[in-house]
Amino acid sequence: MAEIVAAASDRGSTTVADRVVEKIAEQAARLTSPRVSGALIGTKLPALEVVTAGSSTRVRARVAARWAVPVADSASAVADRIRADLERYAGVAVELVEVDVAAFVQPDGQGER
């Protein structure tokens, strides 16, 4: 017997909690930038501020970048990963991802600049 499936518009919707959206964005930033903490920068990096209104999201990320990698490349990689992961896993429209590089990490991962 064939199963009858209702049209997508008749099936309802899934709502993703704002905290879940934040966690997805945080994980995306961690996967594409070094983790740093210390008194010198005053916080742990990456640090994110995520604002969601309905299905639209804005993200501001403060991250560290590896020394000798162009800042624009580092920031772009973080922004692209955040945007892709939020759209893929949370189904939200990402209106803006703003990335600030707040510290540099030496290639061997020891210390910050």
Side-chain angles (χ1 to χ4, degrees), residues 24-40:
I24 292 168
E26 289 170 2
Q27 181 64 16
R30 282 191 200 107
L31 291 172
T32 50
S33 67
R35 294 178 83 171
V36 177
S37 63
L40 217 58

Side-chain angles (χ1 to χ4, degrees), residues 22-103:
E22 290 174 19
K23 289 290 190 179
I24 292 168
E26 289 170 2
Q27 181 64 16
R30 282 191 200 107
L31 291 172
T32 50
S33 67
R35 294 178 83 171
V36 177
S37 63
L40 217 58
I41 59 170
T43 188
K44 294 181 180 180
L45 297 177
L48 279 77
E49 178 184 335
V50 180
V51 177
T52 300
S55 64
S56 180
T57 300
R58 290 177 174 229
V59 179
R60 181 165 189 197
R62 292 184 69 233
V63 300
R66 287 182 176 74
W67 183 252
V69 174
V71 172
D73 292 351
S74 296
S76 180
V78 172
D80 290 348
R81 180 67 182 256
I82 290 171
R83 181 180 304 279
D85 284 4
L86 286 176
E87 289 173 352
R88 178 177 182 188
Y89 299 121
V92 295
V94 181
E95 188 175 315
L96 175 70
V97 179
E98 182 178 300
V99 178
D100 298 324
V101 175

